[in-house]
Amino acid sequence: MERYINIHSHHLPPSDEEVWTIINIQEREYSFRPTTNFTSNIKGSLGIHPWYIDSLNYKNQFMNVESMLTQNQYVAIGEAGLDRNINTPLNLQIEIFTRQIEWSEKYRLPMIIHCVRAFQDIIDIRKKLKPQMSWIFHGFNHKKSFYQLLVDNGCFISIGTSILNSKSVLNSYFQDIDLSRLFLETDDKDISIKTIYDKIMFLKSIDLESLISAFQKNYNKTFLKP
């Protein structure tokens, strides 16, 4: 296992053996096939993002994604989730999200969650379905009450470059964030994950080895299949 963990990225990392990265593969067309070559330190997550739901052909998207999941190349489902800021009907989003939860349980893969104005909706689904695999809400930058809702329901959060902004809402309560429920990511930003690690070390007054150890434990709990 490499030293640094980047839980969610849309870019291939530089050739740095110290970084373990999950590249997000988005199913935008049901005929799509990813070309990323995975390695020991570059892995993939695969899912149907709410933005790219094909309302007419989503069942073909289902077949395409599941056929790729059977290849055992992926370490997570996602991005998957709900977004109340888009035109796709919420009931259709829920149907597609629920199917991806089924895949997560079937293939024993954690989920990387995209959530916009739908935290309670997603937690209600979680309570109803009682999934066993971990859920990671990526790109988290919300007020403390939402953080508490997620961790109280057994979820992880993943934060990225928002923490570098001293005016972000996260900075107002970051000392209260439990490292055992946290991952870090670069998302679609062209930045080194090490920059975010450095910021967390400063905010938490923690040394690098202790931080790496904390995230390694989170990785072990989340990604190592029993």
Side-chain angles (χ1 to χ4, degrees):
M1 186 62 199
E2 288 71 25
R3 289 172 61 84
Y4 294 87
I5 297 173
N6 185 350
I7 208 69
H8 179 74
S9 176
H10 292 265
H11 302 294
L12 287 172
S15 55
D16 186 341
E17 293 302 319
E18 292 186 327
V19 179
W20 186 87
T21 304
I22 298 180
I23 300 295
N24 179 240
I25 306 297
Q26 298 175 356
E27 212 288 358
R28 302 189 187 202
E29 299 176 358
Y30 61 83
S31 60
F32 167 81
R33 282 292 185 274
T35 58
T36 300
N37 293 318
F38 301 126
T39 66
S40 61
N41 66 312
I42 298 174
K43 303 299 181 181
S45 66
L46 176 67
I48 304 173
H49 192 296
W51 294 355
Y52 305 123
I53 292 171
D54 185 332
S55 299
L56 298 179
N57 292 299
Y58 69 91
K59 292 185 178 179
N60 288 324
Q61 287 183 298
F62 286 164
M63 291 187 291
N64 189 47
V65 171
E66 186 156 24
S67 71
M68 289 190 283
L69 289 174
T70 60
Q71 299 171 19
N72 296 318
Q73 296 186 71
Y74 301 94
V75 298
I77 302 292
E79 298 174 43
L82 304 179
D83 191 326
R84 284 185 172 271
N85 278 358
I86 61 177
N87 292 328
T88 304
L90 187 63
N91 62 338
L92 178 57
Q93 291 188 51
I94 290 173
E95 179 182 349
I96 292 168
F97 179 47
T98 300
R99 176 64 66 90
Q100 294 181 90
I101 296 170
E102 293 171 359
W103 293 335
S104 170
E105 297 297 298
K106 177 179 179 179
Y107 296 104
R108 302 197 61 74
L109 300 174
M111 295 195 71
I112 296 176
I113 306 289
H114 169 95
C115 177
V116 176
R117 295 176 53 226
F119 287 110
Q120 192 61 59
D121 300 285
I122 291 178
I123 291 302
D124 287 345
I125 291 170
R126 181 174 175 84
K127 288 178 177 178
K128 178 181 178 181
L129 298 181
K130 298 179 174 59
Q132 298 301 304
M133 302 309 296
S134 297
W135 289 12
I136 305 166
F137 283 75
H138 104 90
F140 187 85
N141 183 29
H142 300 275
K143 58 187 180 180
K144 188 176 181 180
S145 60
F146 288 122
Y147 161 76
Q148 205 63 54
L149 175 68
L150 300 185
V151 298
D152 286 350
N153 283 279
C155 300
F156 291 83
I157 65 167
S158 177
I159 63 176
T161 55
S162 58
I163 197 63
L164 303 178
N165 179 358
S166 61
K167 295 182 180 180
S168 72
V169 65
L170 281 173
N171 274 279
S172 67
Y173 66 91
F174 191 79
Q175 286 300 326
D176 297 329
I177 289 180
D178 185 350
L179 287 180
S180 71
R181 287 289 156 184
L182 180 64
F183 284 104
L184 303 181
E185 65 178 64
T186 56
D187 196 13
D188 58 355
K189 304 300 188 295
D190 188 13
I191 188 173
S192 170
I193 192 67
K194 297 178 182 180
T195 302
I196 302 174
Y197 269 73
D198 288 343
K199 181 68 171 183
I200 302 304
M201 285 191 291
F202 172 76
L203 292 175
K204 284 289 191 181
S205 299
I206 188 174
D207 63 86
L208 179 59
E209 291 304 320
S210 297
L211 190 60
I212 285 173
S213 177
F215 290 138
Q216 178 69 61
K217 290 177 182 177
N218 295 349
Y219 164 85
N220 292 345
K221 288 188 294 186
T222 306
F223 289 93
L224 295 185
K225 299 178 183 180

